[in-house]
Amino acid sequence: NALGSSATNFSVSGWFKTVVSPLPSSEGMFAFGNGPTNSVADAPFFIRQQSYNTLYVESRTAAGTIGRIGFSFDVRPLSWRHYCIVYDGTQTDKFDRIKCYVNGISLTQTGSFGTIPISINLTNKTNFIGAGSTNQYYQGSIDELAIFNVALTEAEVLSIYNATAVV
């Protein structure tokens, strides 16, 4: 595990294309965990798309504390979108620890609750692509998924988007 057992910085980047319309109420996109589950111990970090206009990033501690941040944007089914989620546990404000970019543009948080920890426990965890938690499977295509062991800067996210964008 290149991120180590307890990650304080990482980024998840990839291209996603939702192929159903209308969208289900919730679709998992990516999780660090041991499969789709609602167990706190098995899914300490996950990303899911909620309906047409919200992306949620959630973290869960072993003690059961949940933190969630929502980002609002237009999903647009049937088109490829580049998503990059950046986790930076070194940020002082707990809600500054997660940033979300779509097509290289930083999204504004629309709501948050709970605690976003300074590190995510990844001991014995695998990556689960295409799901976020129980019965929340992504209905679409995923391409060029990459996990970085650093918190990417806005310029780095834009550079990745521009280097891989469909022309």
Side-chain angles (χ1 to χ4, degrees):
N1 181 349
L3 294 175
S5 62
S6 184
T8 55
N9 296 292
F10 61 84
S11 302
V12 178
S13 169
W15 287 88
F16 292 80
K17 179 181 178 183
T18 301
V19 295
V20 296
S21 181
L23 290 174
S25 63
S26 184
E27 291 191 317
M29 298 171 76
F30 177 84
F32 286 118
N34 296 327
T37 176
N38 280 326
S39 166
V40 171
D42 285 339
F45 184 86
F46 62 91
I47 304 162
R48 65 185 171 91
Q49 190 170 274
Q50 185 83 25
S51 292
Y52 277 108
N53 60 359
T54 306
L55 184 78
Y56 284 115
V57 180
E58 295 190 16
S59 65
R60 300 175 182 188
T61 67
T65 305
I66 297 175
R68 176 186 299 153
I69 297 179
F71 300 90
S72 182
F73 69 104
D74 181 14
V75 173
R76 293 192 189 146
L78 307 177
S79 63
W80 283 101
R81 306 297 282 286
H82 179 259
Y83 294 81
C84 188
I85 307 301
V86 177
Y87 170 75
D88 183 355
T90 66
Q91 294 297 313
T92 303
D93 186 313
K94 62 184 176 182
F95 297 117
D96 286 340
R97 294 180 186 147
I98 296 177
K99 294 189 179 356
C100 179
Y101 300 86
V102 174
N103 292 346
I105 299 169
S106 178
L107 298 180
T108 302
Q109 293 182 11
T110 58
S112 57
F113 77 85
T115 299
I116 306 299
I118 59 171
S119 66
I120 305 288
N121 181 2
L122 300 176
T123 303
N124 298 320
K125 302 295 183 243
T126 56
N127 304 328
F128 203 79
I129 301 167
S133 62
T134 303
N135 299 320
Q136 294 181 349
Y137 297 98
Y138 187 72
Q139 296 182 46
S141 300
I142 301 172
D143 195 20
E144 297 183 35
L145 190 73
I147 301 167
F148 300 88
N149 63 355
V150 297
L152 296 173
T153 65
E154 188 166 357
E156 290 168 326
V157 171
L158 185 58
S159 178
I160 292 168
Y161 166 70
N162 286 330
T164 60
V166 178
V167 180

